Amino acid sequence: MHPIHQTGRFLLRNTYKATFRYTCRSGFAKMMQAVCVDVPGGPENLLLRSVPRPQPKDGHVLIKVHAAALNRADLLQRRGLYPPPPGESDIMGLEVAGTVDTLGPALRRPWKPDDRVMALLSGGGYAEYVSVPEELLMAVPSDLTFSQAAAIPEAWLTAFQLLHFIAQVKEGEVVLVHAAASGVGTAAVQLVRLLGAVPVVTAGSREKLRVAEKLGAAAGFNYKEENFVQGVHDFTGGRGADVILDCIGGCNWEKNVGSLAVDGRWVLYGTMGGRSVEGDLLGRLLSKRGHLLSSLLRSRSRQYKADLVKAFSHRVLPHFSGQPASLRPVIDSTYRLEDIAEAHRHMEANRNTGKIVINVLPQNEEPTD
């Protein structure tokens, strides 16, 4: 038996005594493999167990998961710092791709068994099956494999939300994208181009900058070796960036304000560089007439997510198909579900360029019509 496989009871969120989360009145409940966490901590605390398979309720579709993808929110949840919204699955995983297995009651759209789908989740993706509200499903473009499709929902919808819903990026504007080689970053660079704006980026290595430039970045700055504030001003003729997409937070605030154009929008969606700020943030931001905006996706209402999925499906999804497709998910590496701890270590070490994908089922990766 692989060392990650263990038998035992599945645990409730924030309750670290052994309790069985799913009550089964019958001894014949269908089971599935899922990644569980008994005690918050490091990747070694991730355990693969047999748990009851979810049943689709009204308006839901049960997906047989072929592939899932990692997000930094998963690392925080594993450490006990980012619990799922009330009522959502305690299992980690915010995006999956697979096939329709079972249709719940009262569906409004003509989904069929074996349809190839991908889905935005609030949790539950590190498992063989997941139940999803139908309005959060998208058909997988025929040109994409399941692994590629699994890399789209959370990362690309996050980037689209930040650019289109929150910052309302306009054609010709300059958008500074931090962590440009991350899943959200590689998506954002491509979406900025799709929206007719100009992406400039930061990353921590020349290799990552080269990837971003191949995706369409007009300029890139290694934040470990150079002053990106000066780089942004040199690129824009001293005007600064109209929009900043920032997942770093605290340690970058002075450089962000320094990079911002007058009346610019600084969009905060993560705090990898800390949550605390010391200094004259408000005064400096006020002098730029800057807008500080913030957003998370996981905690949004189902209706908000449904509207986002609908807008993304209409405006962006068609660009993943055709010859040549103008958009593509960037895959850094793939792991098996039983190797989930190694996948987490890879992300925590910040070694990935693009998405880390978990192949839940053995992949026959040739796209089908």
Side-chain angles (χ1 to χ4, degrees):
M1 179 179 291
H2 193 282
I4 198 172
H5 286 270
Q6 294 195 16
T7 58
R9 295 175 176 177
F10 185 51
L11 302 184
L12 282 166
R13 176 174 69 253
N14 298 328
T15 303
Y16 302 114
K17 297 180 181 179
T19 54
F20 196 79
R21 185 175 190 273
Y22 299 102
T23 301
C24 178
R25 296 182 180 178
S26 166
F28 301 100
K30 293 183 178 180
M31 306 297 283
M32 68 175 184
Q33 294 292 296
V35 175
C36 308
V37 178
D38 284 5
V39 180
E44 66 279 2
N45 290 15
L46 296 167
L47 306 172
L48 190 59
R49 288 184 173 163
S50 182
V51 301
R53 185 186 304 180
Q55 298 300 312
K57 54 189 177 183
D58 284 4
H60 282 57
V61 171
L62 185 69
I63 299 175
K64 184 176 185 179
V65 178
H66 290 240
L70 267 65
N71 291 277
R72 288 200 174 268
D74 303 339
L75 309 186
L76 294 174
Q77 181 173 337
R78 189 201 69 223
R79 290 157 53 195
L81 302 176
Y82 191 25
E88 300 293 347
S89 173
D90 292 314
I91 299 169
M92 285 176 285
L94 302 179
E95 53 192 342
V96 297
T99 53
V100 171
D101 181 85
T102 306
L103 303 175
L107 295 178
R108 297 182 178 181
R109 297 173 61 184
W111 299 108
K112 303 184 301 297
D114 298 324
D115 279 349
R116 300 172 77 239
V117 294
M118 53 189 180
L120 177 68
L121 311 173
S122 294
Y126 290 9
E128 292 179 314
Y129 293 86
V130 64
S131 181
V132 184
E134 66 166 330
E135 61 267 33
L136 303 186
L137 289 181
M138 295 174 281
V140 174
S142 60
D143 296 342
L144 298 185
T145 66
F146 286 118
S147 291
Q148 290 171 321
I152 291 175
E154 172 70 17
W156 283 78
L157 284 166
T158 293
F160 181 68
Q161 178 211 199
L162 298 174
L163 293 166
H164 184 58
F165 282 25
I166 307 300
Q168 300 181 18
V169 170
K170 302 176 182 63
E171 186 174 352
E173 290 189 317
V174 174
V175 181
L176 174 60
V177 179
H178 290 311
S182 67
V184 173
T186 55
V189 170
Q190 297 178 71
L191 288 173
V192 169
R193 284 295 188 189
L194 184 67
L195 295 172
V198 181
V200 297
V201 304
T202 68
S205 72
R206 294 179 182 179
E207 292 75 16
K208 290 183 176 184
L209 289 175
R210 281 196 289 268
V211 169
E213 288 166 3
K214 288 181 180 178
L215 294 174
F221 313 105
N222 186 336
Y223 66 85
K224 295 180 180 179
E225 298 178 353
E226 58 189 315
N227 182 351
F228 69 78
V229 180
Q230 186 62 50
V232 169
H233 280 278
D234 289 345
F235 180 82
T236 60
R239 187 170 60 86
D242 301 289
V243 174
I244 300 174
L245 294 193
D246 179 27
C247 59
I248 307 300
C251 70
N252 258 8
W253 81 262
E254 290 183 279
K255 292 179 180 179
N256 279 329
V257 176
S259 302
L260 196 64
V262 173
D263 295 319
R265 289 96 75 200
W266 169 14
V267 182
L268 180 69
Y269 69 100
T271 55
M272 291 171 57
R275 299 183 176 188
S276 299
V277 171
E278 295 183 5
D280 187 23
L281 168 61
L282 297 181
R284 294 277 302 280
L285 190 62
L286 186 61
S287 70
K288 291 283 187 80
R289 299 199 303 268
H291 303 254
L292 177 56
L293 307 167
S294 64
S295 183
L296 295 172
L297 181 54
R298 188 183 194 184
S299 57
R300 296 280 189 174
S301 70
R302 186 194 295 184
Q303 185 58 56
Y304 181 96
K305 293 176 183 178
D307 292 342
L308 179 62
V309 167
K310 183 177 180 180
F312 181 86
S313 298
H314 175 70
R315 296 200 56 176
V316 179
L317 205 55
H319 296 277
F320 287 99
S321 301
Q323 297 296 327
S326 59
L327 300 178
R328 64 181 180 91
V330 178
I331 307 298
D332 172 82
S333 52
T334 59
Y335 292 82
R336 299 176 301 170
L337 188 62
E338 55 262 40
D339 297 323
I340 188 68
E342 287 304 312
H344 272 233
R345 290 187 183 100
H346 187 64
M347 177 172 276
E348 282 190 319
N350 202 31
R351 294 196 297 264
N352 60 299
T353 298
K355 295 290 289 186
I356 300 170
V357 173
I358 305 301
N359 286 331
V360 178
L361 291 179
Q363 297 295 296
N364 176 6
E365 287 293 354
E366 291 300 320
T368 57
D369 293 330

